[in-house]
Every structure is written in C-alpha cells, then in structure tokens.
Amino acid sequence: MIRRPIVNRIRHKASTGDTSAVRCWSCRGPAIVLAGVCLLSVLCLAPPECLGDITEGLKAYNRGDYAVAFRKFAPLAERGDIKAQYYIGYMYLNGEGIPANYNEAFRWLSKAAAKGNSKAMFHLGFMYYSGQWAPCDYAEVERLFSGAAQRGEAIAQFALGQMYYEGKGGPRDYVEAIAWFRKAAQGGIASAQHNLGVMYEHGWGVEQNQSEAAKWFLKAAEKGAAESQFRIGLMYADGNGVERNYVLAYMWLSLAAAQGEENAIASSDSLTAKMSAEEVSRAQEMTREWRKSHH
C-alpha cells in the first residue's frame, strides 16, 4: 500500500545543481520513495540591458543573500523578465528575502509559466497538487507537469511519473509511469532511480528483472537513498539480481541503518553470523570509506 505524498519545502540550488539540497515530496511504503531531486537551469530571456542586473540577482541568490536578490529581481519581473518572474514567485513561495505570500507566489509563477518557464510550470503545478495554496486540480497539475517534463525538467518528469503511478487525475498507468521515471532517472533523480528498481523488482509496467532492479537500486543507493541502500543490501545478502557478497551487503545495510532504516539494523545484525571476523572488519572499513567519500 502506497501512502499519499507528504509535502515538504522545495529547495533550489540554481547555480550548482546540488541534488542533496533539494527537498520535494516523500512517500513511504513498499513501492515508491520520494526523495531529494534537482531542478535544471532555464534560459534567461531578458533584454541585453537587463543582463547585468539579473546576473547580480543570481549571484546574491546563490550566496543566500535573498533580500538583495529580491531587490534585483523585482524591477526586472515588473518589466516582464521571465526568469526574474520565476525567482520572485519562488521566493514568495518559500519566504526567501520577504515573508511568504502564496497569493503573490501564485501570481508570479503563473506569469512565468504562461511564457514557458519550465521551473515555474513545475512549482505552479505543485501548488495545484498540494491543494494548500491553490484549489487541488489534477488536470491542471498534469498539464503543468507535462509542459515542464517535455521541456526536460527532470523533477517534473519524476512528478508526472508519480501521478501516473498513483492514478492521480485518471486511471493508474504503470507503463506511462515507468516511461517518465526512466527519463527522470537518466537525469540523475535518485528517487526516480529507486522507483525504477521497485518496478523492475515487481514487474509493474515492465517485465520483471531482478538484475535491472539491482542496477537502479545501486544508482540511488550511491546517491544516499536509504531505502535503496537497504534493498541493494538485501539483494547482495541473498544473491538476488547480483552475485552474493556479504561484505557489500553489510556495507549497504549499515549505511541504511545509520539513516534510520530499522529493518536494515536487524538485517545487518543477522548477517554478521554468516560472516568471518575478517569480512566484518573489511565491511566496516568500506562503510567508513564510503561515508568519507560522500560527505
């Protein structure tokens, strides 16, 4: 059984593409886990005389000086600059540099989305999806997510796949879900990679393939997705989809356990009974090395 997504604050690192800093929706259950994702850059359509101002605004935003960024973006947005309109809407949505104001966020995101800004489309769609800041309207959500997804916005591709998976606004469609998850996974979205692993594991919308499931779980696990770490750990322990390897199993289960996966704690404890002291020591060293290289 899949629980409804929980709305979390969305963070955007425009300059770095840092996926670890982005939070979207989370959904726990045996099938789909939503996690951190990245947003892609969009074209600045400002006239040449505005480029200096938009650049200064972006620099201020990326160093966290939101008040300055807002002052730089505001006049550009009023003059119709699409990128500035997106940023103003996004900053109102998250209360960056100014108090949060969802009416203003909706207004500015709508302006930018109407002109084809893919990020604005996604965030506006998210406002409709949540039903907290705009009336819940799945038809409008699908239209906006589709527009952003077709423009290559990886997070929108993931979100659209999630809608098809859950049957939001229409019948559940695993084939469409996996098609959009694949696009998002290829764009580096860890939660989409995890979802692909789950769907290959169970044969939902695709022919069941444990090796393919392991491949996608491993990609998401490398990005730090706890449930993917747990699942690939079990697969190494059982020799399911991969060659059995207790050392790798212990490492992944330990990493998942450190993130609070309770089942991983029990699984790693039971695994030690099958391992030699040398194997346990090597696995513990590999776990420490993985943490160092990923922090």
Side-chain angles (χ1 to χ4, degrees), residues 1-4 6 26-34 162 165 194-195 198 201-202 204 217 227-228 230-231 261 263:
M1 177 178 179
I2 310 302
R3 299 180 188 172
R4 292 171 59 90
I6 301 170
S26 63
C27 178
R28 297 284 301 179
I32 300 297
V33 172
L34 301 166
Q162 186 69 18
Y165 175 83
H194 175 87
N195 292 358
V198 170
E201 183 180 40
H202 294 282
W204 294 336
F217 283 143
E227 188 164 346
S228 289
F230 171 59
R231 288 181 184 241
E261 285 288 337
N263 291 331

Side-chain angles (χ1 to χ4, degrees), residues 47 49-50 53 73-82 85 108 115:
E49 63 270 19
C50 296
D53 287 342
F73 291 144
L76 296 175
E78 291 288 355
R79 294 206 295 267
D81 181 284
I82 301 171
Q85 289 174 341
W108 287 109
K115 296 174 184 176

Side-chain angles (χ1 to χ4, degrees), residues 7 21 33 42 61 94 113 131 161 163 171 177 200 205 231 238 245 249 276 280 291:
V7 177
V33 172
V42 292
Y61 185 90
N94 287 308
M163 286 191 72
Y200 273 110
R231 288 181 184 241
D238 297 336
N245 186 318
S276 67
V280 172
R291 286 178 180 144

Side-chain angles (χ1 to χ4, degrees), residues 106-188:
F106 187 88
R107 181 168 76 92
W108 287 109
L109 290 173
S110 295
K111 287 178 180 289
K115 296 174 184 176
N117 183 292
S118 59
K119 287 181 176 57
M121 288 179 174
F122 169 72
H123 287 292
L124 189 62
F126 184 78
M127 293 184 82
Y128 278 113
Y129 183 94
S130 71
Q132 291 183 319
W133 309 304
C136 186
D137 184 340
Y138 290 136
E140 186 66 3
V141 173
E142 184 176 6
R143 183 186 73 81
L144 290 163
F145 282 175
S146 293
Q150 289 165 8
R151 287 168 172 79
E153 202 70 62
I155 178 60
Q157 292 168 347
F158 168 66
L160 189 59
Q162 186 69 18
M163 286 191 72
Y164 280 116
Y165 175 83
E166 294 182 345
K168 296 291 188 184
R172 178 175 289 184
D173 189 334
Y174 286 152
V175 174
E176 278 295 308
I178 204 168
W180 287 110
F181 285 150
R182 191 181 304 281
K183 288 179 183 292
Q186 291 168 346

Side-chain angles (χ1 to χ4, degrees), residues 50-60 73 76:
C50 296
L51 291 178
D53 287 342
I54 200 77
T55 300
E56 291 304 308
L58 291 172
K59 287 179 180 178
F73 291 144
L76 296 175

Side-chain angles (χ1 to χ4, degrees), residues 251-278:
M251 182 192 79
W252 287 119
L253 290 171
S254 295
L255 290 168
Q259 295 196 67
E261 285 288 337
E262 294 182 3
N263 291 331
I265 297 171
S267 296
S268 61
D269 287 344
S270 64
L271 188 62
T272 55
K274 303 175 183 179
M275 301 170 66
S276 67
E278 181 183 354

